[in-house]
Amino acid sequence: MTQTDLPSAPKGPTGTHPPVPAHTGSTATRVLGIISLLGLVAVAVFGLVISPPDTELGETIRILYMHVPTVSVAYLAFVITAVASVAYLWKRTEFWDLLAASSAEIGVLFFALTIFNGMMWGKVTWGVFWRWEPRLVTTTVLFITYIGYLVVRSIPAQTRTRGTVSAVIGIMAVVNIPITHKAVDWWRGLHQSRSVLGTVDPEMQGTQLFTTYLSLTVFMVLFAWLLMHRFRLAWLSERAADSGLEGAIAERRAEAAGTTGGQRDGAGGAP
């Protein structure tokens, strides 16, 4: 997605902004949507039917097919937020601000799913949904940080001020990702540490490995689809707000002009 990849709509009376948002769809989003839908069906078939149980983990291996892509997408979304935040502080353009916010929202969604399926894994593996071990502590801090980012963005403030504060938080928050990722290596905990690319067990092979990478690929495509729609929705919302503000100003000016004209007419008709 580029700065020119924005939805088009007829311009308003002032010739500056479209008066009413039309939609967030395009040929690209429709293609990505179809690929995502078919991919999710394939992941469900491979993950629940074709892929065999693991020799050690048994049926719980199927949770991994959800856990790996959700955490990977969440990390990617948060990194995009940080990069876009840096770009916003440099360029001061609306594009980067909206991209950072849109990516953060989707990242929080996928990270919440990560925590949920991680809890399911913990219940089966450890006997409890949650234990305060190093990986889960740093995960909690990371999740709360990005929740705070979204809260800051929801506070009424000037656009530039909101964008600047949010950008600083978005840059600082991403530092916790490598800490969370390496927590199992730096501190002793219950979470497994053996991995390929930090997420996939290197002993996995055959259908299990294929299903894992299939789900990872499909969720990346799904993320791209969601990000494009959320960014465009944010952009259209800003345009609608601008149009509403311009309309309100025009109405107030018309009212003021009418009041002034009435007073002049009254004064001219007086004896």
Side-chain angles (χ1 to χ4, degrees), residues 75-88:
Y75 284 168
L76 174 62
F78 294 153
V79 170
I80 291 176
T81 295
V83 173
S85 296
V86 172
Y88 174 75

Side-chain angles (χ1 to χ4, degrees), residues 1 5-7 23-26 29 32 77 81 94-95 97-110 149-150 153-154 162 222-238:
M1 180 172 59
D5 189 18
L6 299 172
H23 56 79
T24 62
S26 66
T29 57
L32 290 176
T81 295
E94 183 185 53
F95 174 87
D97 182 44
L98 296 182
L99 178 61
S102 301
S103 187
E105 289 184 10
I106 300 173
V108 167
L109 171 62
F110 278 92
Y149 173 91
L150 297 181
R153 292 202 62 89
S154 67
R162 181 191 63 189
L222 177 62
F223 167 69
W225 179 75
L226 290 172
L227 181 59
M228 292 180 71
H229 274 292
R230 186 63 190 91
F231 174 84
R232 290 172 175 176
L233 179 61
W235 186 85
L236 289 171
S237 297
E238 291 296 323

